[in-house]
Amino acid sequence: MGSGLDAEELRQLYERFAPVVHRRALALLGRDADAWDIVQEVFERMLTAGARFRREARPMTYVYRVTTNLCLNALRSRQLREPALLEAPEAAALTPSQWEAADFIRHLVGRMGERELEVATLHFFDGLTQEEIAGMLDVSRKTIVRDLDSIRKKAAELGRLPEALEAGRG
């Protein structure tokens, strides 16, 4: 494998990260079959980008970013194929605030740009702080503040910003 990952390394990564990727994908997409498709795509990316993955200081950051981006792409694609279908997650073990955040994010798809959706997911669904998001996306905290302000304004215009999502988030 020219990627720098051998079969044993990939197996170990799968055992370590597949459950995390699946839980995250199921929570965001709401469908078990779609979540397993995302697991497969994440590991395909790890395999083809093995050298880049190895250079990551925090492999979980890479896994979360790739998973989040693939899920958001899947939601965009689903919106084009099934525009009237916005369902609740199937068997995802979500807290009420995570369920509300996942529903909120599904409603934002197609109405916001890629980075805004990623920031919204990291902030509202994962509960990351502005500093944590800035570090994960390699941008300034000020950029994240601007993105969150823009997200809140657009969401308010759509009537889709649940107050519970704002409680205690910084």
Side-chain angles (χ1 to χ4, degrees):
M1 293 183 217
S3 69
L5 293 178
D6 62 32
E8 178 59 20
E9 224 175 351
L10 190 62
R11 185 191 64 74
Q12 289 174 359
L13 288 170
Y14 187 87
E15 286 177 6
R16 180 176 174 195
F17 293 116
V20 173
V21 171
H22 181 264
R23 275 192 306 273
R24 181 167 188 74
L26 180 58
L28 292 170
L29 299 175
R31 295 180 185 169
D32 192 54
D34 292 346
W36 285 115
D37 288 345
I38 296 298
V39 170
Q40 183 177 356
E41 283 189 62
V42 167
F43 283 90
E44 181 181 323
R45 294 237 178 137
M46 278 185 192
L47 186 60
T48 59
R52 194 171 356 122
F53 174 75
R54 273 195 173 157
R55 287 192 303 269
E56 279 288 323
R58 298 181 320 205
M60 185 59 84
T61 301
Y62 176 89
V63 169
Y64 260 62
R65 274 199 86 178
V66 170
T67 303
T68 299
N69 289 330
L70 289 171
C71 287
L72 293 173
N73 289 342
L75 286 170
R76 282 186 202 95
S77 178
R78 182 189 301 171
Q79 185 183 44
L80 293 173
R81 287 189 322 270
E82 310 164 32
L85 187 59
L86 287 167
E87 73 283 341
E90 319 181 321
L94 301 176
T95 65
S97 63
Q98 284 178 315
W99 186 91
E100 191 175 14
D103 184 59
F104 170 64
I105 291 161
R106 281 192 291 277
H107 280 85
L108 296 179
V109 170
R111 295 173 174 94
M112 294 192 180
E114 188 172 328
R115 190 172 77 205
E116 286 177 318
L117 283 171
E118 188 172 11
V119 169
T121 302
L122 294 170
H123 184 68
F124 296 113
F125 184 81
D126 295 316
L128 298 183
T129 65
Q130 295 165 355
E131 292 83 9
E132 291 168 329
I133 296 168
M136 188 176 257
L137 301 182
D138 197 27
V139 297
S140 72
R141 181 181 172 277
K142 197 176 209 176
T143 298
I144 299 304
V145 169
R146 280 194 303 265
D147 286 347
L148 286 170
D149 285 344
S150 174
I151 291 164
R152 287 182 182 103
K153 285 177 187 165
K154 287 179 184 177
E157 289 169 9
L158 297 168
R160 291 296 309 168
L161 185 61
E163 289 184 31
L165 292 176
E166 286 301 299
R169 301 286 168 90

